[in-house]
Amino acid sequence: MSLPETQGKTLPDAWDYKGRPADRSRTGGWTSAAMILGGEACERLTTLGVAVNLVTYLTGTMHLGNSTSANTVTNFLGTSFMLCLLGGFVADTFLGRYLTIAIFATIQATGVTILTISTIIPSLKPPKCNLNTDQLCTPATTTQLTVLYVALYTLALGTGGLKSSVSGFGSDQFDELDPKEQSQMVKFFNWFFFFISIGSLAAVTVLVYIQDNLGRQWGYGICACAIVIGLVVFLSGTRRYRFKTLVGSPLTQIAAVFIAAWRKRQLESPLDTSLLFNVDDLPCDGNVMKKKKQKLPHSKQFRFLDKAAIKPSEMPSEMPDGVGEVNKWNMSTLTDVEEVKLVLRMLPIWATNIMFWTVYAQMTTFSVSQATTMDRHIGKSFQIPAASLTVFFVGSILLTVPVYDKVVVPFTRKLLKNPQGLTPLQRIGVGLVLSLLAMVSAALTEIKRLRAARSHGLTDDPTTVIPLSVFWLVPQFFFVGSGEAFTYIGQLDFFLRECPKGMKTMSTGLFLSTLSLGFFFSSLLVTIVHKVTGSKKPWLADNLNQGKLYDFYWLLAILSALNFLIFLVCAKWYVYKDKRLADEGIELEEAEPICHA
């Protein structure tokens, strides 16, 4: 006898747009998920459509220097990813995912609209360079830059809030307790990444070509139309969506543990950890908490945090039902404390991942600047847009993932006797090595490019095309793309597995913060290098043919090597959560499915 498909027509943990229990047949499922997928494709098209070709706009139209342009791009992208943390906090704590998506998509549309208008109105751009005179190009004025930055950071704010909630709201449309809908959720995640790839490919090919050949106003105008269409499609599904109760942010739990421990800093922690407050001591609805959280054993690291679980002297050892709710800012459970400790143990690994994204940032900045000086022709008539070289990211990822699944996993499974092949930390390590190779390749290619410029007497003319094929840049794009396939998946797997079950959204925050800080660190390095070398023989000259960009790449290669050594030490020190719990005789509960973008 087969089990019924559902246990009722309505879902116990989901509501419709009027606040009524969600009807399974009228809400959720693929109809509502498809509208969310369409919105995500438009978001990716809009964000990458602006970011991937932004450095050429800043140097060619706004007449900014190479280092300033590179920092503007990395700061923009870094802010976008950092604001994902704000968007996630707002969604989990105040607005919910639906309102967060709707509001921040509107903000994103506003930002790209301002950017489009700034490319149309002549007074918001500096005059074009006169190539027939020796006069320097007129740089953008303060007013022009202010309008540009308002547009970019409004776009970044919208992107951060939107990106933080789309995948989660999509998964809300499927019931995890229903076997049929749970399988549909897995397919949704696959389609989610497919639509991300479609948006990315369209941005780095079609949109970049339109921007370079028809004008920025057309390219950015298409971005503005795309996000507005995505917002309209998303809102049209309101009656079909399922809405979930606010779950609160894991950042609140971390803050509560630290504040409670600080308030009790003068107290002595008991030697017997059973005297500390734990989930078993929770009054009233403690059973609900016990179902949601796995009780964790006490660890000896970071013992100062144990003070957050010290019971006040007037509290009885066993709390009867009916006692008021415990103030989390005064006292946390020992399990809450141990969950925060789990996050703290991951921070060394988290920190060593930042360098990869610093290397990654060069592919959207200086590598694109290199491409603008090289021969980009295929045949006699067609010329590849410089920013379209980022398509090799997608190509290398598409190549690396199946090779990893079909070749690397079976081989390493036998070699390492690990059913997964490489562990998450080993995958991250491979990605870090590939990023190191990318910088070595980039430095060697830049040396070859400069030799070609000197041999043809082109060092004084930054606009003349050097007779060297742009495809010499492909290896550095390939190495970083393949490294991303390893590092991206390894990071997600690591953070998802190692984050405590009650703080799964923390895995998203940890991952996105490495991207953000990687871009910001790139900006810091560029600023320092430009100040140190700018007055003598600049590494990052506005005319790349007179600079030493290869030395900057060598610097990144050295920093990547040092970072990799530190990573090896941290990885050797780290003990996986399942092994730590197994040593205590505790079986690890399964993680819930989650998706990141």
Side-chain angles (χ1 to χ4, degrees):
M1 181 176 177
S2 61
L3 292 173
E5 182 182 345
T6 66
Q7 298 180 2
K9 293 183 179 180
T10 60
L11 298 172
D13 62 342
W15 290 263
D16 65 12
Y17 74 105
K18 288 187 175 181
R20 301 168 300 192
D23 189 312
R24 190 182 298 274
S25 63
R26 296 182 180 180
T27 63
W30 277 113
T31 302
S32 56
M35 298 175 184
I36 297 171
L37 289 173
E40 172 57 22
C42 291
E43 180 275 325
R44 187 52 59 99
L45 177 72
T46 300
T47 304
L48 278 188
V50 172
V52 77
N53 204 21
L54 182 58
V55 71
T56 60
Y57 177 72
L58 296 173
T59 55
T61 301
M62 305 302 286
H63 306 154
L64 301 180
N66 281 323
S67 59
T68 303
S69 299
N71 281 354
T72 300
V73 174
T74 51
N75 287 337
F76 164 66
L77 291 171
T79 302
S80 297
F81 287 114
M82 186 62 74
L83 287 172
C84 289
L85 301 179
L86 173 64
F89 177 78
V90 170
D92 290 341
T93 310
F94 301 108
L95 297 180
R97 288 167 177 161
Y98 170 81
L99 280 178
T100 300
I101 293 172
I103 292 172
F104 283 92
T106 304
I107 294 174
Q108 186 180 36
T110 302
V112 75
T113 300
I114 297 173
L115 183 61
T116 304
I117 293 173
S118 72
T119 63
I120 297 173
I121 300 176
S123 62
L124 295 179
K125 297 181 294 182
K128 292 183 178 181
C129 297
N130 189 348
L131 300 179
N132 297 322
T133 66
D134 294 332
Q135 291 182 342
L136 295 175
C137 298
T138 304
T141 65
T142 302
T143 301
Q144 292 165 346
L145 289 177
T146 299
V147 173
L148 174 66
Y149 291 148
V150 167
L152 289 179
Y153 287 101
T154 302
L155 175 59
L157 176 61
T159 300
L162 183 57
K163 192 185 294 291
S164 66
S165 299
V166 172
S167 62
F169 191 61
S171 65
D172 287 345
Q173 307 311 308
F174 302 96
D175 181 14
E176 294 179 14
L177 301 179
D178 182 82
K180 182 180 179 181
E181 291 199 19
Q182 189 175 34
S183 65
Q184 289 176 340
M185 184 190 297
V186 175
K187 292 180 180 179
F188 167 79
F189 289 152
N190 294 335
W191 279 105
F192 185 82
F193 284 113
F194 173 78
F195 273 83
I196 286 176
S197 300
I198 291 296
S200 301
L201 279 173
V204 302
T205 53
V206 178
L207 269 183
V208 168
Y209 183 82
I210 291 173
Q211 290 169 10
D212 283 0
N213 293 275
L214 298 181
R216 297 284 172 161
Q217 66 271 26
W218 289 102
Y220 294 154
I222 291 174
C223 290
C225 292
I227 192 62
V228 169
I229 291 172
L231 177 59
V232 171
V233 170
F234 175 77
L235 294 177
S236 66
T238 300
R239 293 174 178 269
R240 291 281 313 181
Y241 293 142
R242 294 174 184 170
F243 302 86
K244 298 290 183 75
T245 305
L246 300 180
V247 296
S249 171
L251 295 176
T252 304
Q253 176 181 330
I254 295 174
V257 168
F258 273 93
I259 289 174
W262 174 257
R263 287 179 171 177
K264 300 176 184 177
R265 61 189 181 279
Q266 304 296 340
L267 301 180
E268 289 291 333
S269 298
L271 297 177
D272 185 359
T273 57
S274 64
L275 298 177
L276 295 173
F277 186 68
N278 211 339
V279 291
D280 296 325
D281 301 316
L282 285 169
C284 300
D285 56 350
N287 289 331
V288 176
M289 176 70 73
K290 293 173 195 176
K291 290 179 182 178
K292 289 183 179 180
K293 290 198 174 186
Q294 179 177 20
K295 189 175 179 179
L296 299 176
H298 178 260
S299 61
K300 295 182 179 180
Q301 291 176 307
F302 312 114
R303 294 201 62 176
F304 67 94
L305 292 178
D306 293 347
K307 295 183 178 183
I310 296 177
K311 297 178 183 179
S313 56
E314 66 272 12
M315 177 179 286
S317 59
E318 294 186 6
M319 298 177 63
D321 290 345
V323 177
E325 189 174 317
V326 176
N327 186 339
K328 62 184 177 183
W329 301 102
N330 291 326
M331 184 168 60
S332 302
T333 67
L334 181 60
T335 293
D336 284 341
V337 172
E338 290 301 323
E339 287 183 343
V340 173
K341 289 183 181 180
L342 284 176
V343 174
L344 292 178
R345 290 189 194 101
M346 290 189 287
L347 291 184
I349 299 295
W350 166 85
T352 54
N353 278 260
I354 294 172
M355 191 63 209
F356 175 86
W357 300 107
T358 299
V359 171
Y360 179 97
Q362 311 316 310
M363 300 300 105
T364 57
T365 53
F366 290 116
S367 292
V368 175
S369 297
Q370 285 177 285
T372 60
T373 69
M374 303 171 73
D375 181 10
R376 293 177 276 122
H377 284 90
I378 296 180
K380 295 183 179 180
S381 58
F382 183 74
Q383 181 172 266
I384 306 171
S388 288
L389 282 181
T390 51
V391 76
F392 288 105
F393 277 139
V394 181
S396 57
I397 290 172
L398 292 176
L399 179 63
T400 301
V401 170
V403 168
Y404 175 78
D405 287 338
K406 301 298 182 183
V407 179
V408 177
V409 169
F411 175 75
T412 53
R413 186 181 290 154
K414 294 179 181 179
L415 179 66
L416 304 175
K417 302 186 186 304
N418 182 3
Q420 298 174 341
L422 297 177
T423 65
L425 291 180
Q426 288 169 340
R427 275 191 253 179
I428 293 173
V430 172
L432 293 179
V433 171
L434 289 172
S435 69
L436 168 60
L437 294 177
M439 288 298 93
V440 173
S441 173
L444 295 176
T445 300
E446 175 62 9
I447 291 173
K448 184 176 182 65
R449 192 191 67 82
L450 286 178
R451 285 176 179 171
R454 288 167 186 157
S455 64
H456 290 84
L458 302 175
T459 54
D460 294 329
D461 190 350
T463 61
T464 301
V465 175
I466 298 172
L468 182 68
S469 174
V470 75
F471 291 106
W472 280 98
L473 296 176
V474 169
Q476 63 202 60
F477 282 96
F478 180 83
F479 280 129
V480 174
S482 297
E484 182 186 5
F486 280 96
T487 303
Y488 190 106
I489 298 173
Q491 275 189 276
L492 290 182
D493 194 7
F494 175 74
F495 291 136
L496 177 59
R497 287 185 182 197
E498 298 305 300
C499 270
K501 185 179 179 182
M503 302 173 66
K504 283 302 171 187
T505 54
M506 195 68 197
S507 59
T508 306
L510 288 170
F511 171 68
L512 292 175
S513 61
T514 60
L515 272 75
S516 177
L517 292 176
F519 284 113
F520 285 137
F521 185 57
S522 174
S523 297
L524 177 63
L525 277 179
V526 169
T527 301
I528 293 174
V529 167
H530 191 61
K531 285 187 176 180
V532 172
T533 67
S535 59
K536 301 174 183 177
K537 293 184 178 180
W539 289 7
L540 309 175
D542 292 339
N543 179 357
L544 285 182
N545 298 333
Q546 295 180 344
K548 294 183 177 181
L549 180 58
Y550 58 88
D551 279 337
F552 182 67
Y553 285 147
W554 285 127
L555 173 63
L556 288 174
I558 293 171
L559 292 176
S560 296
L562 293 175
N563 179 74
F564 179 67
L565 293 177
I566 296 172
F567 169 79
L568 290 179
V569 174
C570 295
K572 183 72 175 177
W573 168 81
Y574 190 83
V575 179
Y576 284 103
K577 182 174 70 173
D578 55 354
K579 185 180 185 305
R580 188 186 298 272
L581 293 180
D583 292 342
E584 298 285 342
I586 299 174
E587 184 178 353
L588 181 66
E589 294 179 6
E590 277 192 36
E592 300 168 357
I594 194 169
C595 182
H596 307 261

